[in-house]
Amino acid sequence: MPRAKWLKKCYNILMTTTFTSLTAEEEKILESYCENHFVSFNASGEEDLSFLTFWRNFISGLEESGPSAAINTMLIPDLPVQFNQEEGISAEIYNSTAGEIPVITIRDSEDFEKLVTNLIHKGKRPENLGSTGASFVFGKKTRFIILSQKPYSNVSARTLGLKEEDWLKKSLQIRLEHECTHFFTKKFYGRAQNHLHDELIADFFGILSAFSFYKAEYFEYFMGIRGNEGSRLSCYIPHSSKNLLIALKEKASRAAFFLEDLSKKADFQALSKSGKIRRLCETDLLKIPD
């Protein structure tokens, strides 16, 4: 590794790492948390696609009668929503790496929150919905994704040195591939959890899709490790001590730089998209050595 690149990497790690010691109990909690839960790959996955017929009819209805009529008639007849910007709502069947999945995209943040509350949570607004940018449902009879067009992880365009319009487009692409990666792991591994390993993988493919490269620094901004805008990290080990959060931050940063290096290797680049996802699922990302 060239000296300049090595120095920059060391600087980044030092700037984002707070060294700490854990109690024996905290060590045990962290060790258990870092165990890889992607252990059994099911090559066939779930193949019943009959639910797509409903969603194709829904999309046709949306195009013919408008989003408000289609959503309130076909999705939430008992909890209809009055939308602020009906023209900012669209839907499609997206051909992801794991197969076709319905995706609803909503431009207005309040409209997004209304639909998530009524469609997914049966009218009961969940906590922290204001900081949520996407919702993913995977059931036996249906599956779908709802995306907002908020800045990803509440990180500003200025922080990343981008123009506002460009960043909003990239934010939407990150969210789409992020949620589709969760769809892949849920379908083929039976798991899509609110866990740091899952988020490392999902953000990796989201960033890669939006920028055509992966940058650990971006992940650190999105996770709240770097800067003051994003604040996701505490969501992935709830009710933890301050020391545990610091230790998790160290592991997240270390894994992000490992992924950046991995993304540039020829053997990794030669893998198919599904092969890359499997590679990251089956790598102990939270056990990357110092």
Side-chain angles (χ1 to χ4, degrees):
M1 180 183 296
R3 179 174 175 79
K5 183 178 179 182
W6 178 81
L7 287 172
K8 182 180 180 182
K9 183 174 180 179
C10 290
Y11 172 79
N12 284 332
I13 292 173
L14 287 171
M15 288 296 291
T16 58
T17 301
T18 302
F19 299 97
T20 187
S21 59
L22 302 177
T23 66
E25 182 179 357
E26 288 170 334
E27 288 279 8
K28 187 176 181 180
I29 292 171
L30 190 63
E31 182 180 358
S32 175
Y33 182 86
C34 293
E35 290 298 325
N36 192 338
H37 53 257
F38 296 111
V39 293
S40 180
F41 180 79
N42 177 6
S44 64
E46 185 180 345
E47 294 299 325
D48 182 4
L49 302 179
S50 59
F51 75 97
L52 289 174
T53 300
F54 167 83
W55 285 100
R56 290 193 175 98
N57 290 334
F58 166 75
I59 291 171
S60 295
L62 185 148
E63 293 171 348
E64 292 171 4
S65 58
S68 182
I71 289 171
N72 288 331
T73 301
M74 300 182 70
L75 297 184
I76 46 174
D78 297 328
L79 293 168
V81 168
Q82 184 174 355
F83 294 105
N84 298 328
Q85 295 184 25
E86 185 175 355
E87 71 279 5
I89 302 173
S90 61
E92 64 175 321
I93 304 293
Y94 183 70
N95 190 20
S96 78
T97 308
E100 293 182 305
I101 185 166
V103 178
I104 301 173
T105 302
I106 305 181
R107 182 188 305 155
D108 184 79
S109 295
E110 187 178 349
D111 286 346
F112 167 80
E113 293 172 15
K114 289 177 183 177
L115 183 58
V116 169
T117 296
N118 287 14
L119 178 57
I120 297 178
H121 299 281
K122 311 304 179 185
K124 184 177 180 180
R125 180 185 171 90
E127 293 183 12
N128 302 318
L129 181 57
S131 60
T132 299
S135 285
F136 164 56
V137 171
F138 189 107
K140 291 182 179 181
K141 296 183 178 180
T142 192
R143 67 196 69 152
F144 59 90
I145 295 168
I146 305 177
L147 302 177
S148 76
Q149 291 188 309
K150 303 175 184 179
Y152 190 69
S153 203
N154 296 315
V155 172
S156 68
R158 177 181 294 181
T159 296
L160 302 182
L162 300 172
K163 293 182 179 180
E164 190 70 30
E165 184 178 354
D166 184 33
W167 175 224
L168 290 177
K169 289 180 180 178
K170 283 182 166 56
S171 292
L172 184 61
Q173 187 62 29
I174 292 172
R175 282 199 177 93
L176 175 60
E177 290 302 327
H178 179 109
E179 297 304 322
C180 285
T181 302
H182 285 319
F183 173 35
F184 183 99
T185 64
K186 181 66 175 177
K187 180 176 180 180
F188 293 110
Y189 288 91
R191 293 178 179 271
Q193 299 184 39
N194 198 30
H195 190 281
L196 182 56
H197 192 170
D198 298 63
E199 295 302 298
L200 278 159
I201 298 169
D203 265 16
F204 176 88
F205 289 101
I207 293 169
L208 192 63
S209 177
F211 291 92
S212 299
F213 60 83
Y214 176 80
K215 195 170 184 178
E217 180 181 332
Y218 291 171
F219 174 80
E220 291 178 319
Y221 278 124
F222 300 154
M223 198 58 60
I225 297 170
R226 183 188 295 261
N228 299 313
E229 294 171 295
S231 183
R232 288 164 55 196
L233 189 64
S234 60
C235 298
Y236 305 120
I237 185 165
H239 311 300
S240 66
S241 66
K242 181 179 179 180
N243 280 350
L244 269 175
L245 283 176
I246 292 172
L248 198 63
K249 179 182 75 171
E250 295 169 3
K251 289 184 176 295
S253 182
R254 192 176 300 127
F257 281 99
F258 168 83
L259 289 176
E260 184 173 321
D261 288 342
L262 180 66
S263 70
K264 299 172 184 177
K265 294 184 183 299
D267 62 336
F268 182 79
Q269 293 177 349
L271 294 173
S272 65
K273 176 75 173 293
S274 61
K276 289 174 181 174
I277 299 176
R278 288 191 63 184
R279 173 77 177 273
L280 299 195
C281 285
E282 294 163 17
T283 298
D284 292 334
L285 294 179
L286 298 180
K287 294 183 178 182
I288 301 299
D290 295 340

